[in-house]
Amino acid sequence: MVNDRELEVLINEIYEYYGYDFSGYSAASFKRRIDRLYNLDGYKNFTELLSRIRSDEDYFNRVVEEITVNVTEMFRDPQFYKVLRTEILPVLATKPFIRIWHAGCSTGEEVYSLAILLKEANLLHKSLLYATDLNPSVLASARKGVFPLRMMKQYSENYIASGGKLDFSDYYTAHYGFAKFGEDLVEKMVFSQHNLVSDRSFNEFDMILCRNVMIYFDKDLQDRVLELFDDSLARLGYLALGTKETIKFSQLKKRYEQLNRDKIWKKLL
């Protein structure tokens, strides 16, 4: 196992060699994932691990994948998508153009879910979805719009629970155990690498989604990321967080209104 001092060295070395800053990540979560990697790859000591990370960029990319958890599914938490469908999109429909940022998009399942909602609301043609993540390999996967066919039954059930009325299978083509989603969805998406820790705002958005990402950050980093989102969100725009995330304890709270007990906040000021 890696001790606290070694973790500090590792974080500093990663920043120096690759420019990735993990200093604001939850210490317990970061240590747990490095320990798992340490055991999986059979390192005899910390120096061996550090040397491999310094000298092998492909291996470092694997380390990033291990640290940045990629657990997602289409229409995850159907009630959340039902609120988007019935309460948020009708308001966004009044805008001439809709810009949405999905931060920490992972392999893209939730981005495609939102694109489907926009299409069914006849809003996709005037929307642009910016999907970002720290991890370039998951972004490459998301761009393809290809997901395991075995997951489609669960995703279809989630879709129906979210208020979907159409045949979910119309949105994808099945081929050799995989489901490829339509180009009409993909062409409205912009995938880009973005580091919530160090990168700045890059546009003004009508809605920002960042769900179940900040739970891995410490309080200071959470506050910094919320400030970034606030800087990036238009007045009367919407901020959607995960089930265990909130802005209630942030200085931003007075500028936002929480909707329906769901993790959706409306920017008032």
Side-chain angles (χ1 to χ4, degrees):
M1 299 296 177
V2 181
N3 63 43
D4 291 346
R5 173 58 186 151
E6 289 168 339
L7 280 179
E8 188 178 330
V9 169
L10 179 61
I11 288 170
N12 290 336
E13 291 289 297
I14 286 175
Y15 183 71
E16 182 176 332
Y17 273 74
Y18 298 101
Y20 285 68
D21 186 357
F22 289 112
S23 60
Y25 274 62
S26 159
S29 176
F30 188 83
K31 183 179 190 308
R32 188 164 56 248
R33 299 190 183 285
I34 293 299
D35 282 345
R36 181 174 183 274
L37 198 69
Y38 195 92
N39 290 326
L40 275 176
D41 294 348
Y43 289 105
K44 297 183 181 68
N45 54 60
F46 173 71
T47 302
E48 202 175 76
L49 168 65
L50 190 60
S51 177
R52 179 83 184 275
I53 288 173
R54 284 170 169 167
S55 61
D56 187 341
E57 187 170 355
D58 288 339
Y59 183 73
F60 169 69
N61 289 333
R62 180 168 170 242
V63 173
V64 172
E65 288 184 35
E66 187 65 33
I67 296 169
T68 55
V69 184
N70 299 305
V71 179
T72 185
E73 63 183 49
M74 295 193 77
F75 295 95
R76 177 170 58 168
D77 184 5
Q79 180 59 34
F80 167 79
Y81 284 94
K82 183 174 280 189
V83 173
L84 290 186
R85 187 191 293 275
T86 60
E87 299 182 31
I88 307 303
L89 293 192
V91 178
L92 294 183
T94 63
K95 294 179 175 290
F97 193 77
I98 304 168
R99 288 185 178 85
I100 297 172
W101 178 16
H102 202 306
C105 70
S106 187
T107 43
E109 283 88 338
E110 295 188 69
V111 182
Y112 285 86
S113 303
L114 184 54
I116 288 171
L117 287 193
L118 289 163
K119 183 175 181 178
E120 293 185 359
N122 196 30
L123 298 175
L124 188 60
H125 68 283
K126 65 170 186 175
S127 301
L128 198 56
L129 291 85
Y130 293 80
T132 66
D133 201 279
L134 173 67
N135 186 340
S137 65
V138 298
L139 285 172
S141 176
R143 278 190 193 96
K144 295 174 183 175
V146 176
F147 307 109
L149 191 60
R150 59 182 166 77
M151 298 303 299
M152 291 306 112
K153 182 177 183 296
Q154 178 63 55
Y155 293 172
S156 178
E157 291 172 358
N158 289 353
Y159 164 76
I160 292 168
S162 77
K165 301 280 196 299
L166 305 180
D167 188 339
F168 188 65
S169 63
D170 288 345
Y171 288 110
Y172 63 85
T173 303
H175 193 64
Y176 291 112
F178 291 93
K180 172 76 170 74
F181 280 76
E183 286 299 319
D184 59 327
L185 303 178
V186 181
E187 68 185 11
K188 305 303 293 185
M189 302 173 185
V190 176
F191 292 95
S192 180
Q193 191 173 5
H194 184 276
N195 188 338
L196 290 172
V197 177
S198 57
D199 292 341
R200 296 182 178 181
S201 174
F202 57 94
N203 213 324
E204 184 176 78
F205 298 95
D206 302 298
M207 182 162 66
I208 298 174
L209 300 92
C210 184
R211 304 181 67 221
N212 305 306
V213 174
M214 291 195 297
I215 54 175
Y216 301 105
F217 298 166
D218 65 21
K219 180 65 167 58
D220 287 345
L221 181 52
Q222 287 178 12
D223 288 342
R224 281 162 53 195
V225 172
L226 287 172
E227 289 283 354
L228 168 65
F229 291 156
D230 185 59
D231 290 342
S232 306
L233 196 61
R235 185 173 172 271
L236 302 181
Y238 297 95
L239 175 62
L241 303 176
T243 55
K244 296 180 180 178
E245 297 161 334
T246 184
I247 66 171
K248 283 182 178 177
F249 308 109
S250 162
Q251 292 184 349
L252 298 177
K253 180 182 181 298
K254 59 183 179 294
R255 302 173 61 179
Y256 286 78
E257 172 189 17
Q258 188 175 13
L259 306 179
N260 287 338
R261 303 174 110 189
D262 292 283
K263 295 301 182 179
I264 302 174
W265 303 76
K266 186 173 185 176
K267 183 175 179 178
L268 302 177
L269 300 173

